[in-house]
Amino acid sequence: MDRRKKKSRSVYSICACLTTSLFVTCAGGVKLRIIAPQHGTIMNIADLRANNGLDVDISVSVRTHEEYATAFYGHVLCLYINGTAHAHIGVVSMSSAHSIVVPSTLWQVGQTWIHAGLCNNTNDNDASSGPVYASTPILVKVQNVYSLPVLEENVDDKVTLVLPLMIDDAHRALLLVGTLQAHSSPTHQSIQELLVVVPDTQAFALAVLEASHTCPPTSVINESSLFNGIVKQTWHTYALQMAVKLLVAQRVTTNYYVTVDADILLVGTFDAALFFPGGRGTFVEEHRGVHPHWWRGSADILGLTEDDYPNAAFGVTPAVLSTIGSVITTSLIRDVFEDDDWQQRWLGSWSNGTWWSEYTLYRLALDIRGLFDNIHVASESETFCNPVWYHGDLPWDAVGAFRNKKCVFSLVQSTTQLAPSLVAASIGFHVHHDHPHSSV
């Protein structure tokens, strides 16, 4: 195959709203890329239907014919909508035409994520058939024809914070909210909003966070709204809070979000440049040997062996997660269980001895889809510093945390049994002044 650009046009009919053009080029290594529409495109659903759909141009670049044949052997080209594969193209050639139909519920008003990838021709979730190539996901925003025009603020350079919270930890969460407000700037605000996910029975009390007109804006979300309306008492508390950090993606409007816990503290200004170099979210390369049981449990959930993706790594809270990455993760879990009660089987597994974490599931799921390196890059900055996990680690070095110009988050874990009033006394001076004062 020579290096001159060749192309062909194949038309897909997806619920009369989406048509796809396929472009095959011969430059570089194997690479999938959605050329059009561009990420963040805003479209009107009535116009889409009137024009019989949206053109999506996918380029497949290969260096040689042999490379092309090797990449596609045993695979088909899939078009993913919100993390689920719907178009399966057996052969990508210079002259081919295909047509598929996808339920209209997948292309409605709101946010729709689209990406292309090579998947196994018999099982989209099979990770044992060699390398998987995928395009970087793009977001298409679809507006209702009856909606009044709204000049939306650009959120591409903003991030959402997500806080799972129980009322027993509210006093610690107030310290987090207080440090958020202290570091907020009306002229430079990288945080779009704070989403607080709470048990339904506690929402009436914790709604005070939503009504306090804080900066950044805060919204309180009932847990049940993320779990098909049902939160079972048999689900382990840890499993529930970890699942929340993935399922909340359906309520996030930014490309990425950062997970926090009630005992996290903001000790510096949240600068998006530290967390999104080159547009990709950072992650901490915590080796899987630190928490091997989480990786084993996640491998079991996703149908992998312990030998799959041995170099996979990911840290703990606070963590940067891709919104579409979390959608893909929960979509893959649902597909693996193939059960209407997939959430019960997923969360119930934790109580039955299959220990997993939200981050190990997330990392492995994106490795299966071949997407992790497209949307994440290893962190080169120490944005999380001076954490205190246990009582024996005290005193907390508040001075060091606030002095570190690259540090954004710190932590005084509740397991230290240090009273929130003492933590407040330690940080109170720092959040109002530019120089350090004391340590606990």
Side-chain angles (χ1 to χ4, degrees), residues 8 14 43 45 55 71 88 132 145 180 194 198-199 216 241 362 397:
S8 67
I14 298 184
M43 313 200 76
I45 194 169
D55 287 335
H88 295 75
V132 178
V145 65
L180 279 173
L194 170 65
V198 304
Q241 293 209 343
Y362 175 89
D397 185 8

Side-chain angles (χ1 to χ4, degrees), residues 13-19 48-54 101-102 107:
S13 176
I14 298 184
C15 61
C17 297
L18 177 65
T19 58
L48 287 174
R49 289 169 176 163
N51 295 329
N52 196 31
L54 166 70
V101 176
V102 173
W107 188 258

